[in-house]
Amino acid sequence: MHTKQTVNEGLKRAYLITVPATDLTAKIDAEIKKVAPQMRMPGFRPGKVPANLVRKMHGEALHAQVVNDTIRESVDQLLRDEGLRPAMQPEIGLKEDYTEGQDAEITVSLEVLPVIETPSTDGIALEKLVVPVTDAQVDEALAGIAGQNKSYKDAAKTKKAADGDQLIIDFVGKLDGVEFEGGKAEDAALVLGSGTFIPGFEEQLVGVKTGAEKTITVTFPAEYQAANLAGQEATFDITVKAVKVETETQIDEDFAKSLGLDSLEKLREIMKAQLEQQTAGLTRTQMKRALLDQLAAGHSFAVPETMVEAEFAQIWAQLQQEAANDADPAAALKQIDEEKDEYKAIAERRVRLGLLLSEIGQANGVEVSQQEMGMLIQQAAMQYRTEDRERFVQYIQSEPMAAAQLRAPLYEDKVVDFLFDKATVTEREVTVEELQAAIEAEETEAAPAPKKAAAKKKAPAKKAEAEAAPAEDAKPAAKKAPAKKADAAAEKPAAKKAPAKKADAPAEKPAAKKAPAKKAPAKK
């Protein structure tokens, strides 16, 4: 094998590898000798098929296999011999007019990672903005949960049911006078106006009293999940066993026990911890952005164009998707197009920060363990259909680049945590609003200012910039899921709803369908 460098400009490299025809022929002969003993052919004893006959029958396939193996081995050897660290997958080609019997000329072009002086981890100073959780905030959060867990009490027997009231009913559904399977229930709870049952069912019960018996006629929706009922007209014989009105839920020991907890004190502890966790996420975002700003300000070096282009493509795709969903898509698309250069600058910053974090992590022994990687793979595999999960796992295990992309976000977090531990951190108590304002201020300082404000325009690129994922082991950063809105911590915790009773045939809302399963990446 003979290697000649053809390009050496900045981070760009190109080579011409020449593999003599004699080497290829020798490899093909070796392959024929290896497979011949395994060949079976009428007229020959097992393993005695002549080599020339094997060549005649399988020579073309063996030649293609040898050429492919030779290309891979030659490129691997080139990277080792030259000490190259590719920024992205090298572009590899074989001379177009190559035919068997000729020397194989292989072209290899790539960008290499820049040589970065290991950044110092000394002297990093960060301010940690902490939001204390008050008893009043816990009370407000509990009130929100109580509001979602409505209680009802029996109304006077003369009370006529209205929207918002709860009925306890028995019902029997019939098609052409014949009871159908699944159309019967006893002591079913139904809140009028909730839209739980099929259209027309609840409306016909407005005004009933406790003890009333009524037969109603409804038509099942054409798209109803039970095919035998879809579009069919049915009757329901209904007995109203109770009319109940909403009552204020008391936040007390009984309320806590209704949520499966031992005491109200335990409920308050859990709620306070949830609120602290929400604001802790904002605090981490603020500290991380301040950290990345310090790193970016102290380092300037050329970055591989291919990595920047890949990063920009992710940002641009997200911007275009959001613009397409804007109230005025044409105006939104026009604006982002005017700011294209600014987003390219953001992509370059992200790549540079990723390389810096990777360099810091490698220099200080930061690693993602095999156990952590295994958990990442299993979590990612759950996004695929059951029958495709094993294929996905095999794909990740066989493709170093894909594995690196999956590992990158976790690696970044571990490097950031390492730097937090090394930094001098001072704490300052602030309100949620002050913390959000600090994060927005850091966004403005870190990202290029837009030329003009767009209506309802999101700033995914700014957010993405602050979350620069490191390219561990010289691999491109993985695309991360959009971060939660910064004001999430100001919202009340998601209320824990009481388990809903399963409705039988008249239920309008079937169980939610799962999103179409992702297809596992094709094996290369």
Side-chain angles (χ1 to χ4, degrees):
M1 178 178 103
H2 174 71
T3 302
K4 177 184 178 182
Q5 187 177 66
T6 56
V7 174
N8 186 344
E9 299 174 357
L11 299 177
K12 295 181 179 180
R13 304 286 187 275
Y15 299 86
L16 176 65
I17 301 173
T18 303
V19 180
T22 52
D23 290 358
L24 294 172
T25 300
K27 290 183 178 182
I28 294 172
D29 291 342
E31 284 296 316
I32 291 175
K33 186 178 292 186
K34 184 191 301 182
V35 302
Q38 305 168 24
M39 297 291 295
R40 294 180 180 275
M41 187 176 295
F44 297 94
R45 286 183 296 166
K48 298 298 182 179
V49 180
N52 63 336
L53 192 54
V54 174
R55 182 187 296 274
K56 182 177 180 180
M57 295 180 60
H58 303 287
E60 185 174 345
L62 289 173
H63 174 255
Q65 176 186 326
V66 165
V67 170
N68 286 334
D69 290 346
T70 298
I71 291 174
R72 185 183 66 255
E73 293 166 0
S74 300
V75 173
D76 288 345
Q77 184 176 337
L78 168 68
L79 299 180
R80 288 193 303 270
D81 292 348
E82 298 292 328
L84 301 174
R85 295 194 303 160
M88 299 285 280
Q89 191 70 30
E91 293 184 8
I92 303 167
L94 180 66
K95 188 178 178 182
E96 291 185 3
D97 58 354
Y98 168 76
T99 58
E100 186 175 356
Q102 294 182 337
D103 293 346
E105 294 185 348
I106 305 164
T107 58
V108 182
S109 58
L110 69 157
E111 280 191 294
V112 297
L113 291 173
V115 177
I116 306 171
E117 183 178 348
T118 303
S120 172
T121 58
D122 297 327
I124 298 176
L126 298 171
E127 183 180 44
K128 183 178 183 180
L129 304 184
V130 180
V131 179
V133 176
T134 65
D135 288 341
Q137 289 173 311
V138 175
D139 291 340
E140 183 181 1
L142 289 176
I145 294 179
Q148 294 294 328
N149 289 270
K150 296 180 179 179
S151 299
Y152 296 88
K153 65 178 181 180
D154 288 335
K157 295 188 181 299
T158 56
K159 159 76 165 137
K160 292 183 178 181
D163 279 353
D165 292 341
Q166 184 188 65
L167 303 183
I168 304 301
I169 59 175
D170 294 345
F171 60 79
V172 177
K174 299 177 182 179
L175 289 176
D176 297 326
V178 179
E179 182 179 337
F180 57 86
E181 183 179 356
K184 182 177 181 180
E186 294 182 355
D187 295 327
L190 170 63
V191 176
L192 296 183
S194 65
T196 304
F197 283 13
I198 60 178
F201 192 102
E202 297 172 24
E203 291 85 345
Q204 295 182 63
L205 295 180
V206 173
V208 299
K209 300 178 182 179
T210 300
E213 295 183 355
K214 186 173 184 178
T215 297
I216 65 173
T217 301
V218 295
T219 301
F220 283 92
E223 68 277 8
Y224 194 71
Q225 68 268 28
N228 64 313
L229 299 176
Q232 296 294 313
E233 184 177 86
T235 62
F236 284 90
D237 297 330
I238 299 170
T239 299
V240 181
K241 302 176 79 170
V243 176
K244 295 175 176 286
V245 293
E246 184 180 343
T247 183
E248 183 180 355
T249 301
Q250 297 297 320
I251 302 174
D252 52 20
E253 296 292 329
D254 290 338
F255 176 67
K257 290 177 181 178
S258 72
L259 297 178
L261 300 173
D262 296 334
S263 65
L264 179 59
E265 181 182 0
K266 186 63 177 177
L267 174 59
R268 292 185 67 87
E269 288 177 4
I270 292 175
M271 187 53 55
K272 183 175 182 180
Q274 288 182 356
L275 292 172
E276 289 175 340
Q277 185 177 15
Q278 290 173 353
T279 56
L282 285 176
T283 295
R284 180 181 173 83
T285 296
Q286 170 264 322
M287 286 184 64
K288 182 176 176 180
R289 288 180 175 171
L291 171 66
L292 295 182
D293 284 347
Q294 289 189 38
L295 290 175
H299 300 86
S300 179
F301 50 84
V303 294
E305 292 179 7
T306 49
M307 293 183 72
V308 175
E309 290 168 0
E311 192 64 50
F312 172 74
Q314 293 182 5
I315 295 173
W316 195 245
Q318 183 178 350
L319 286 168
Q320 288 184 312
Q321 181 179 359
E322 292 179 354
N325 295 328
D326 193 86
D328 187 350
L333 287 169
K334 180 181 179 182
Q335 176 172 342
I336 65 171
D337 191 61
E338 292 174 350
E339 299 171 356
K340 198 168 188 176
D341 289 343
E342 295 168 359
Y343 288 115
K344 286 182 178 178
I346 289 173
E348 182 176 330
R349 171 186 157 104
R350 288 186 65 183
V351 171
R352 183 173 290 107
L353 285 170
L355 294 174
L356 281 170
L357 289 175
S358 178
E359 189 68 30
I360 292 171
Q362 293 180 37
N364 292 279
V366 178
E367 295 180 349
V368 173
S369 68
Q370 288 295 328
Q371 182 179 4
E372 290 171 328
M373 190 62 193
M375 291 178 64
L376 281 177
I377 294 174
Q378 292 304 320
Q379 289 171 359
M382 295 304 293
Q383 301 176 60
Y384 296 83
R385 295 173 300 188
T386 303
E387 61 270 24
D388 289 334
R389 289 173 187 169
E390 185 58 33
R391 288 179 56 206
F392 172 78
V393 172
Q394 293 174 357
Y395 169 75
I396 293 295
Q397 292 174 340
S398 64
E399 292 290 337
M401 187 74 76
Q405 289 180 330
L406 184 62
R407 180 173 53 237
L410 176 59
Y411 187 78
E412 171 196 0
D413 284 339
K414 297 189 76 168
V415 176
V416 168
D417 286 337
F418 167 79
L419 291 173
F420 283 168
D421 290 339
K422 298 282 290 184
T424 300
V425 179
T426 57
E427 291 191 4
R428 178 163 63 93
E429 289 190 359
V430 296
T431 64
V432 170
E433 293 73 20
E434 289 172 333
L435 178 54
Q436 291 172 333
I439 292 173
E440 292 171 2
E442 288 169 355
E443 285 181 343
T444 304
E445 293 173 2
K451 294 177 182 177
K452 59 182 179 179
K456 301 181 182 178
K457 184 183 176 217
K458 300 179 182 178
K462 294 178 184 178
K463 170 179 59 184
E465 173 193 18
E467 296 174 342
E472 184 190 2
D473 298 329
K475 303 304 187 296
K479 184 175 182 180
K480 300 179 71 176
K484 293 182 179 179
K485 292 182 180 179
D487 60 358
E491 299 175 0
K492 297 178 182 178
K496 182 177 179 181
K497 297 184 179 179
K501 292 183 180 180
K502 291 184 178 179
D504 289 288
E508 159 63 354
K509 298 178 182 178
K513 294 183 179 179
K514 293 183 179 179
K518 290 184 178 181
K519 295 182 179 179
K523 293 183 179 180
K524 294 184 178 179

Short mmCIF file of all heavy atoms in Angstrom, two decimals, residues 276-321:
data_model
loop_
_atom_site.label_atom_id
_atom_site.label_comp_id
_atom_site.label_asym_id
_atom_site.label_seq_id
_atom_site.Cartn_x
_atom_site.Cartn_y
_atom_site.Cartn_z
N GLU A 276 -38.76 22.23 44.85
CA GLU A 276 -37.31 22.47 44.90
C GLU A 276 -36.62 21.87 43.69
O GLU A 276 -35.68 22.45 43.14
CB GLU A 276 -36.73 21.89 46.19
CG GLU A 276 -37.12 22.67 47.44
CD GLU A 276 -36.64 22.02 48.72
OE1 GLU A 276 -36.35 20.80 48.69
OE2 GLU A 276 -36.55 22.71 49.74
N GLN A 277 -37.09 20.70 43.25
CA GLN A 277 -36.50 20.06 42.08
C GLN A 277 -36.74 20.89 40.82
O GLN A 277 -35.86 21.02 39.97
CB GLN A 277 -37.08 18.66 41.90
CG GLN A 277 -36.44 17.85 40.77
CD GLN A 277 -37.00 16.45 40.67
OE1 GLN A 277 -38.04 16.14 41.24
NE2 GLN A 277 -36.30 15.59 39.96
N GLN A 278 -37.93 21.47 40.72
CA GLN A 278 -38.24 22.30 39.55
C GLN A 278 -37.32 23.53 39.49
O GLN A 278 -36.77 23.85 38.43
CB GLN A 278 -39.70 22.73 39.60
CG GLN A 278 -40.68 21.59 39.35
CD GLN A 278 -42.11 22.01 39.56
OE1 GLN A 278 -42.38 23.12 40.02
NE2 GLN A 278 -43.05 21.14 39.25
N THR A 279 -37.17 24.22 40.59
CA THR A 279 -36.32 25.40 40.58
C THR A 279 -34.85 25.03 40.47
O THR A 279 -34.05 25.80 39.94
CB THR A 279 -36.55 26.25 41.84
OG1 THR A 279 -36.34 25.43 43.01
CG2 THR A 279 -37.97 26.80 41.88
N ALA A 280 -34.48 23.82 40.96
CA ALA A 280 -33.10 23.37 40.84
C ALA A 280 -32.71 23.22 39.37
O ALA A 280 -31.56 23.48 38.98
CB ALA A 280 -32.91 22.05 41.58
N GLY A 281 -33.67 22.81 38.54
CA GLY A 281 -33.39 22.70 37.11
C GLY A 281 -33.08 24.05 36.50
O GLY A 281 -32.16 24.18 35.68
N LEU A 282 -33.81 25.07 36.91
CA LEU A 282 -33.53 26.42 36.42
C LEU A 282 -32.17 26.91 36.93
O LEU A 282 -31.41 27.55 36.18
CB LEU A 282 -34.62 27.39 36.89
CG LEU A 282 -35.98 27.30 36.18
CD1 LEU A 282 -36.97 28.25 36.83
CD2 LEU A 282 -35.85 27.61 34.70
N THR A 283 -31.88 26.61 38.18
CA THR A 283 -30.60 27.03 38.75
C THR A 283 -29.44 26.39 37.99
O THR A 283 -28.44 27.05 37.68
CB THR A 283 -30.52 26.63 40.24
OG1 THR A 283 -31.51 27.37 40.97
CG2 THR A 283 -29.15 26.93 40.82
N ARG A 284 -29.58 25.12 37.66
CA ARG A 284 -28.52 24.44 36.91
C ARG A 284 -28.36 25.06 35.52
O ARG A 284 -27.23 25.26 35.05
CB ARG A 284 -28.83 22.95 36.77
CG ARG A 284 -27.76 22.19 35.99
CD ARG A 284 -28.11 20.72 35.85
NE ARG A 284 -27.17 20.05 34.96
CZ ARG A 284 -25.98 19.59 35.33
NH1 ARG A 284 -25.59 19.72 36.58
NH2 ARG A 284 -25.18 19.00 34.46
N THR A 285 -29.48 25.39 34.88
CA THR A 285 -29.41 26.03 33.56
C THR A 285 -28.65 27.34 33.64
O THR A 285 -27.78 27.63 32.80
CB THR A 285 -30.83 26.28 33.02
OG1 THR A 285 -31.49 25.03 32.82
CG2 THR A 285 -30.78 27.04 31.69
N GLN A 286 -28.96 28.14 34.67
CA GLN A 286 -28.29 29.44 34.83
C GLN A 286 -26.79 29.26 35.06
O GLN A 286 -25.96 29.94 34.45
CB GLN A 286 -28.94 30.20 35.99
CG GLN A 286 -28.20 31.45 36.44
CD GLN A 286 -27.28 31.18 37.63
OE1 GLN A 286 -27.62 30.42 38.54
NE2 GLN A 286 -26.13 31.80 37.62
N MET A 287 -26.42 28.30 35.93
CA MET A 287 -25.00 28.07 36.22
C MET A 287 -24.26 27.52 35.00
O MET A 287 -23.13 27.91 34.71
CB MET A 287 -24.86 27.08 37.39
CG MET A 287 -25.17 27.66 38.75
SD MET A 287 -24.86 26.45 40.07
CE MET A 287 -23.08 26.21 39.92
N LYS A 288 -24.93 26.64 34.29
CA LYS A 288 -24.28 26.03 33.12
C LYS A 288 -24.02 27.07 32.04
O LYS A 288 -22.95 27.08 31.42
CB LYS A 288 -25.18 24.91 32.57
CG LYS A 288 -24.59 24.18 31.38
CD LYS A 288 -25.50 23.03 30.97
CE LYS A 288 -24.97 22.33 29.73
NZ LYS A 288 -25.85 21.21 29.31
N ARG A 289 -24.97 27.95 31.84
CA ARG A 289 -24.78 28.98 30.81
C ARG A 289 -23.65 29.93 31.21
O ARG A 289 -22.85 30.35 30.37
CB ARG A 289 -26.08 29.75 30.60
CG ARG A 289 -27.11 28.90 29.87
CD ARG A 289 -28.40 29.60 29.63
NE ARG A 289 -29.27 28.74 28.83
CZ ARG A 289 -30.55 28.99 28.58
NH1 ARG A 289 -31.10 30.08 29.07
NH2 ARG A 289 -31.26 28.17 27.85
N ALA A 290 -23.58 30.26 32.49
CA ALA A 290 -22.49 31.12 32.95
C ALA A 290 -21.14 30.41 32.77
O ALA A 290 -20.15 31.03 32.37
CB ALA A 290 -22.69 31.48 34.42
N LEU A 291 -21.10 29.12 33.04
CA LEU A 291 -19.88 28.34 32.86
C LEU A 291 -19.45 28.31 31.40
O LEU A 291 -18.28 28.55 31.06
CB LEU A 291 -20.10 26.92 33.38
CG LEU A 291 -18.99 25.90 33.08
CD1 LEU A 291 -17.72 26.27 33.83
CD2 LEU A 291 -19.44 24.49 33.44
N LEU A 292 -20.40 28.03 30.52
CA LEU A 292 -20.07 27.95 29.10
C LEU A 292 -19.63 29.30 28.56
O LEU A 292 -18.77 29.38 27.68
CB LEU A 292 -21.27 27.42 28.31
CG LEU A 292 -21.70 25.98 28.63
CD1 LEU A 292 -22.87 25.58 27.75
CD2 LEU A 292 -20.55 25.01 28.45
N ASP A 293 -20.22 30.38 29.07
CA ASP A 293 -19.80 31.71 28.64
C ASP A 293 -18.34 31.96 29.01
O ASP A 293 -17.58 32.56 28.23
CB ASP A 293 -20.69 32.78 29.27
CG ASP A 293 -22.06 32.86 28.60
OD1 ASP A 293 -22.21 32.28 27.51
OD2 ASP A 293 -22.96 33.50 29.17
N GLN A 294 -17.94 31.51 30.21
CA GLN A 294 -16.54 31.68 30.61
C GLN A 294 -15.61 30.87 29.71
O GLN A 294 -14.54 31.35 29.31
CB GLN A 294 -16.35 31.25 32.07
CG GLN A 294 -16.98 32.19 33.08
CD GLN A 294 -16.58 31.86 34.51
OE1 GLN A 294 -15.45 31.46 34.78
NE2 GLN A 294 -17.52 32.02 35.43
N LEU A 295 -16.00 29.65 29.39
CA LEU A 295 -15.17 28.82 28.51
C LEU A 295 -15.06 29.44 27.11
O LEU A 295 -13.98 29.50 26.52
CB LEU A 295 -15.75 27.41 28.40
CG LEU A 295 -15.66 26.53 29.65
CD1 LEU A 295 -16.38 25.21 29.42
CD2 LEU A 295 -14.18 26.26 30.00
N ALA A 296 -16.20 29.89 26.59
CA ALA A 296 -16.20 30.46 25.24
C ALA A 296 -15.36 31.72 25.17
O ALA A 296 -14.65 31.97 24.18
CB ALA A 296 -17.63 30.76 24.80
N ALA A 297 -15.41 32.54 26.23
CA ALA A 297 -14.67 33.79 26.23
C ALA A 297 -13.17 33.57 26.28
O ALA A 297 -12.39 34.40 25.79
CB ALA A 297 -15.11 34.65 27.41
N GLY A 298 -12.75 32.45 26.84
CA GLY A 298 -11.32 32.23 27.03
C GLY A 298 -10.66 31.38 25.97
O GLY A 298 -9.44 31.12 26.07
N HIS A 299 -11.39 30.95 24.95
CA HIS A 299 -10.80 30.05 23.95
C HIS A 299 -11.30 30.40 22.56
O HIS A 299 -12.51 30.58 22.35
CB HIS A 299 -11.12 28.59 24.27
CG HIS A 299 -10.60 28.14 25.60
ND1 HIS A 299 -11.31 28.33 26.77
CD2 HIS A 299 -9.44 27.53 25.95
CE1 HIS A 299 -10.61 27.85 27.78
NE2 HIS A 299 -9.48 27.36 27.31
N SER A 300 -10.39 30.48 21.64
CA SER A 300 -10.73 30.73 20.25
C SER A 300 -9.81 29.90 19.36
O SER A 300 -8.59 30.04 19.42
CB SER A 300 -10.59 32.22 19.90
OG SER A 300 -10.90 32.46 18.54
N PHE A 301 -10.39 28.99 18.59
CA PHE A 301 -9.59 28.15 17.69
C PHE A 301 -10.49 27.70 16.54
O PHE A 301 -11.72 27.75 16.63
CB PHE A 301 -9.03 26.93 18.44
CG PHE A 301 -10.05 26.16 19.21
CD1 PHE A 301 -10.84 25.19 18.60
CD2 PHE A 301 -10.25 26.41 20.56
CE1 PHE A 301 -11.79 24.48 19.31
CE2 PHE A 301 -11.20 25.70 21.30
CZ PHE A 301 -11.98 24.74 20.67
N ALA A 302 -9.86 27.31 15.45
CA ALA A 302 -10.59 26.86 14.27
C ALA A 302 -11.32 25.57 14.60
O ALA A 302 -10.80 24.70 15.31
CB ALA A 302 -9.64 26.64 13.11
N VAL A 303 -12.54 25.44 14.09
CA VAL A 303 -13.32 24.22 14.30
C VAL A 303 -13.65 23.61 12.95
O VAL A 303 -13.74 24.31 11.94
CB VAL A 303 -14.61 24.51 15.09
CG1 VAL A 303 -14.28 24.96 16.51
CG2 VAL A 303 -15.45 25.57 14.40
N PRO A 304 -13.83 22.29 12.88
CA PRO A 304 -14.12 21.64 11.61
C PRO A 304 -15.42 22.12 10.98
O PRO A 304 -16.46 22.15 11.64
CB PRO A 304 -14.21 20.15 11.99
CG PRO A 304 -13.42 20.03 13.27
CD PRO A 304 -13.66 21.32 13.98
N GLU A 305 -15.34 22.50 9.72
CA GLU A 305 -16.52 23.01 9.02
C GLU A 305 -17.62 21.97 8.95
O GLU A 305 -18.81 22.30 9.04
CB GLU A 305 -16.14 23.46 7.62
CG GLU A 305 -15.24 24.70 7.59
CD GLU A 305 -14.87 25.11 6.17
OE1 GLU A 305 -15.44 24.51 5.23
OE2 GLU A 305 -14.03 26.01 6.01
N THR A 306 -17.24 20.70 8.79
CA THR A 306 -18.26 19.65 8.67
C THR A 306 -19.07 19.52 9.95
O THR A 306 -20.28 19.28 9.91
CB THR A 306 -17.60 18.30 8.34
OG1 THR A 306 -16.50 18.07 9.25
CG2 THR A 306 -17.09 18.28 6.92
N MET A 307 -18.42 19.70 11.09
CA MET A 307 -19.13 19.63 12.37
C MET A 307 -20.07 20.83 12.52
O MET A 307 -21.19 20.70 13.01
CB MET A 307 -18.15 19.55 13.53
CG MET A 307 -17.34 18.27 13.57
SD MET A 307 -16.26 18.18 15.03
CE MET A 307 -17.45 17.92 16.33
N VAL A 308 -19.59 21.99 12.11
CA VAL A 308 -20.43 23.19 12.19
C VAL A 308 -21.64 23.04 11.28
O VAL A 308 -22.76 23.39 11.65
CB VAL A 308 -19.61 24.44 11.82
CG1 VAL A 308 -20.52 25.67 11.77
CG2 VAL A 308 -18.48 24.66 12.81
N GLU A 309 -21.42 22.53 10.07
CA GLU A 309 -22.53 22.35 9.13
C GLU A 309 -23.57 21.38 9.69
O GLU A 309 -24.78 21.60 9.55
CB GLU A 309 -21.99 21.85 7.79
CG GLU A 309 -21.20 22.90 7.02
CD GLU A 309 -20.44 22.32 5.84
OE1 GLU A 309 -20.54 21.08 5.64
OE2 GLU A 309 -19.75 23.07 5.14
N ALA A 310 -23.10 20.30 10.31
CA ALA A 310 -24.03 19.33 10.88
C ALA A 310 -24.82 19.94 12.03
O ALA A 310 -26.03 19.73 12.16
CB ALA A 310 -23.26 18.10 11.36
N GLU A 311 -24.14 20.73 12.87
CA GLU A 311 -24.82 21.38 13.99
C GLU A 311 -25.82 22.42 13.48
O GLU A 311 -26.95 22.50 13.98
CB GLU A 311 -23.78 22.05 14.89
CG GLU A 311 -24.31 22.50 16.22
CD GLU A 311 -24.76 21.33 17.08
OE1 GLU A 311 -24.00 20.37 17.25
OE2 GLU A 311 -25.90 21.40 17.58
N PHE A 312 -25.41 23.20 12.48
CA PHE A 312 -26.30 24.21 11.93
C PHE A 312 -27.53 23.55 11.30
O PHE A 312 -28.65 24.08 11.41
CB PHE A 312 -25.57 25.05 10.88
CG PHE A 312 -26.48 25.99 10.14
CD1 PHE A 312 -26.98 27.13 10.76
CD2 PHE A 312 -26.87 25.72 8.84
CE1 PHE A 312 -27.84 27.99 10.09
CE2 PHE A 312 -27.73 26.56 8.16
CZ PHE A 312 -28.21 27.71 8.79
N ALA A 313 -27.34 22.42 10.65
CA ALA A 313 -28.47 21.73 10.01
C ALA A 313 -29.53 21.36 11.04
O ALA A 313 -30.74 21.46 10.77
CB ALA A 313 -27.98 20.47 9.29
N GLN A 314 -29.10 20.97 12.25
CA GLN A 314 -30.06 20.64 13.30
C GLN A 314 -30.81 21.90 13.77
O GLN A 314 -32.03 21.88 13.92
CB GLN A 314 -29.33 19.99 14.48
CG GLN A 314 -28.76 18.62 14.15
CD GLN A 314 -28.07 17.98 15.35
OE1 GLN A 314 -28.10 18.53 16.45
NE2 GLN A 314 -27.45 16.84 15.15
N ILE A 315 -30.05 22.97 13.99
CA ILE A 315 -30.67 24.22 14.42
C ILE A 315 -31.65 24.72 13.35
O ILE A 315 -32.78 25.12 13.65
CB ILE A 315 -29.61 25.29 14.69
CG1 ILE A 315 -28.73 24.88 15.89
CG2 ILE A 315 -30.24 26.66 14.94
CD1 ILE A 315 -27.56 25.80 16.13
N TRP A 316 -31.22 24.68 12.11
CA TRP A 316 -32.02 25.21 11.00
C TRP A 316 -33.31 24.40 10.82
O TRP A 316 -34.38 24.97 10.57
CB TRP A 316 -31.20 25.21 9.72
CG TRP A 316 -31.79 26.05 8.62
CD1 TRP A 316 -32.27 25.62 7.42
CD2 TRP A 316 -31.96 27.47 8.64
NE1 TRP A 316 -32.72 26.68 6.68
CE2 TRP A 316 -32.54 27.84 7.40
CE3 TRP A 316 -31.66 28.46 9.57
CZ2 TRP A 316 -32.84 29.15 7.08
CZ3 TRP A 316 -31.97 29.77 9.25
CH2 TRP A 316 -32.56 30.10 8.02
N ALA A 317 -33.21 23.10 10.95
CA ALA A 317 -34.40 22.25 10.81
C ALA A 317 -35.42 22.59 11.89
O ALA A 317 -36.62 22.65 11.63
CB ALA A 317 -34.01 20.77 10.88
N GLN A 318 -34.94 22.82 13.11
CA GLN A 318 -35.85 23.17 14.21
C GLN A 318 -36.49 24.54 13.97
O GLN A 318 -37.68 24.72 14.19
CB GLN A 318 -35.10 23.16 15.54
CG GLN A 318 -36.00 23.43 16.75
CD GLN A 318 -35.25 23.36 18.06
OE1 GLN A 318 -34.10 22.94 18.11
NE2 GLN A 318 -35.89 23.80 19.13
N LEU A 319 -35.69 25.49 13.52
CA LEU A 319 -36.22 26.83 13.23
C LEU A 319 -37.29 26.79 12.15
O LEU A 319 -38.33 27.43 12.25
CB LEU A 319 -35.09 27.75 12.80
CG LEU A 319 -34.14 28.24 13.91
CD1 LEU A 319 -32.91 28.89 13.28
CD2 LEU A 319 -34.84 29.22 14.83
N GLN A 320 -37.02 26.03 11.09
CA GLN A 320 -37.98 25.94 10.00
C GLN A 320 -39.28 25.29 10.44
O GLN A 320 -40.37 25.70 10.03
CB GLN A 320 -37.36 25.18 8.83
CG GLN A 320 -36.29 25.96 8.08
CD GLN A 320 -35.77 25.22 6.87
OE1 GLN A 320 -35.43 24.04 6.96
NE2 GLN A 320 -35.71 25.88 5.74
N GLN A 321 -39.16 24.27 11.29
CA GLN A 321 -40.35 23.60 11.79
C GLN A 321 -41.19 24.56 12.63
O GLN A 321 -42.42 24.61 12.50
CB GLN A 321 -39.96 22.38 12.63
CG GLN A 321 -41.16 21.62 13.17
CD GLN A 321 -40.74 20.41 13.98
OE1 GLN A 321 -39.57 20.11 14.12
NE2 GLN A 321 -41.72 19.68 14.52
#
